[in-house]
Amino acid sequence: MKKEILFFVCLVLSHTALSCDVCGCGAFNSTHGLGTLAQGNRTSIGLNYQYRLYKSEHPKVFGNGIEHSTDYFQRLDVLGQLRLSKRWQLQLSLPIGFNKHVADDTTSQKNGLGDPTLMVNFFLFNKQDSLQTRLFRWIVGAGVKSPVGKFTHPNDVDLYLYPGTGTFDAVFQNSFFFQKKRWSLLQTSQYILRGENKYKYIPGSLFSASLFGQYKFRTWGIYAGTQYSWSGVDYLNRKAISSSPTQGRVLTGIIGASVQFNSWVIQGNYHIPIAQNLGDGNSHQKTAFSISLNYFFN
């Protein structure tokens, strides 16, 4: 049973790490929050690499014609979770971003440390039958994202490439996990309420929800599911910015696999866009995947 839970822990670790801060042309500006990554209250450390590519097209600001651009967002997260007690758990995510924008005649790139997130999770419900063939868990969590990464003025054309936002954000999360023998089902949701930075700028709030199913073999498992992400409008001087390129929503299908060796688990997944409306329809998510490596101490 412990090994079967370990697979789903890593599934959520990778999934939530890929829940970006914006749905549109930018991504990974600040920390995503960890989501409900612990389906077992265990101490662990890990690394998660994620990659996203967006294609955009819009009328040129000067002259006629259409301008095309490509945005590359790469992120490496150092992840940790600490068991505090039977029902309490502490989680930390420290992101490093590598972001690039390539237009018809210009290229911009911003790299660096992002905004870390610290979460506290509470296990509301944790029940397992006597034969250890069925398990149900309900976990809730709350935390804060702190402004550590470099950020810039909201009028900067490279605003969404910077690894930080300069805001304190509140993060709320919830997850349900059910397992019966080799089959598992997981539902997670997360909401990030944005703060205001020194430039009177408030990035759009974020919401994401996902549903996964997994089948576990002896030392490996396969899973599939769907994820919905929504990003609200940005605000400057408490006034909505209607043309915000990060506003939008996307629905993706996700497939992946996990392999376990003793206390080590490596896992990867790939996102397939199903429906999207990003940046007023000018931006389209083309590629997204994630690879993670985790070690569990207990």
Side-chain angles (χ1 to χ4, degrees):
M1 175 61 71
K2 178 180 287 189
K3 291 184 177 180
E4 293 173 356
I5 299 300
L6 186 55
F7 274 94
F8 240 94
V9 173
C10 291
L11 163 59
V12 185
L13 269 164
S14 180
H15 155 63
T16 56
L18 198 53
S19 300
C20 62
D21 288 294
V22 292
C23 289
C25 299
F28 314 142
N29 297 47
S30 65
T31 182
H32 47 3
L34 291 174
T36 48
L37 59 84
Q39 295 308 316
N41 193 355
R42 304 181 65 187
T43 298
S44 70
I45 57 174
L47 292 174
N48 186 85
Y49 170 78
Q50 53 208 269
Y51 173 90
R52 287 196 179 194
L53 182 149
Y54 294 84
K55 293 283 189 178
S56 302
E57 57 181 32
H58 52 82
K60 292 184 176 181
V61 177
F62 302 102
N64 300 321
I66 300 296
E67 180 176 343
H68 299 84
S69 63
T70 304
D71 295 278
Y72 304 88
F73 296 96
Q74 301 180 77
R75 176 167 171 163
L76 179 66
D77 282 272
V78 180
L79 304 169
Q81 59 186 39
L82 176 66
R83 176 189 171 106
L84 300 177
S85 67
K86 183 178 180 180
R87 289 182 176 269
W88 292 94
Q89 180 187 76
L90 192 66
Q91 298 176 356
L92 175 68
S93 171
L94 183 62
I96 304 172
F98 308 89
N99 307 323
K100 183 166 67 172
H101 173 82
V102 180
D104 293 336
D105 54 358
T106 61
T107 298
S108 302
Q109 186 166 345
K110 301 295 179 183
N111 305 325
L113 185 67
D115 295 337
T117 295
L118 182 64
M119 301 291 301
V120 177
N121 282 340
F122 180 70
F123 288 67
L124 282 174
F125 193 84
N126 188 8
K127 186 176 181 180
Q128 187 176 46
D129 66 8
S130 59
L131 298 178
Q132 296 188 347
T133 59
R134 294 186 182 184
L135 171 67
F136 176 73
R137 283 195 175 109
W138 179 13
I139 311 170
V140 295
V144 62
K145 187 274 292 177
S146 301
V148 173
K150 187 177 181 180
F151 64 101
T152 187
H153 192 279
N155 292 327
D156 191 327
V157 295
D158 293 329
L159 172 65
Y160 302 109
L161 295 181
Y162 279 80
T165 63
T167 62
F168 282 99
D169 301 337
V171 184
F172 306 94
Q173 55 195 22
N174 180 82
S175 73
F176 296 94
F177 173 72
F178 176 75
Q179 179 173 330
K180 183 177 180 181
K181 296 183 179 180
R182 293 184 177 272
W183 292 94
S184 303
L185 185 68
L186 172 72
Q187 193 282 324
T188 75
S189 57
Q190 181 183 90
Y191 179 72
I192 302 179
L193 179 63
R194 298 295 203 178
E196 182 179 85
N197 66 20
K198 67 178 183 179
Y199 298 115
K200 305 298 181 182
Y201 173 69
I202 304 175
S205 293
L206 308 171
F207 172 79
S208 66
S210 63
L211 180 66
F212 289 94
Q214 178 186 253
Y215 184 80
K216 167 71 166 51
F217 297 92
R218 185 174 181 180
T219 59
W220 61 284
I222 55 174
Y223 60 86
T226 185
Q227 175 187 336
Y228 173 80
S229 300
W230 167 87
S231 178
V233 298
D234 300 347
Y235 287 83
L236 182 60
N237 296 318
R238 301 302 175 94
K239 295 182 179 179
I241 305 175
S242 59
S243 60
S244 170
T246 64
Q247 182 183 9
R249 50 191 174 273
V250 58
L251 177 67
T252 59
I254 302 174
I255 55 175
S258 295
V259 178
Q260 179 182 350
F261 179 74
N262 294 328
S263 294
W264 293 92
V265 174
I266 185 171
Q267 181 258 316
N269 62 48
Y270 186 81
H271 289 226
I272 304 170
I274 298 174
Q276 54 185 309
N277 182 14
L278 308 173
D280 296 325
N282 296 319
S283 180
H284 301 276
Q285 177 181 306
K286 296 297 185 178
T287 304
F289 66 86
S290 173
I291 301 173
S292 66
L293 176 66
N294 299 276
Y295 179 81
F296 292 83
F297 293 95
N298 54 14

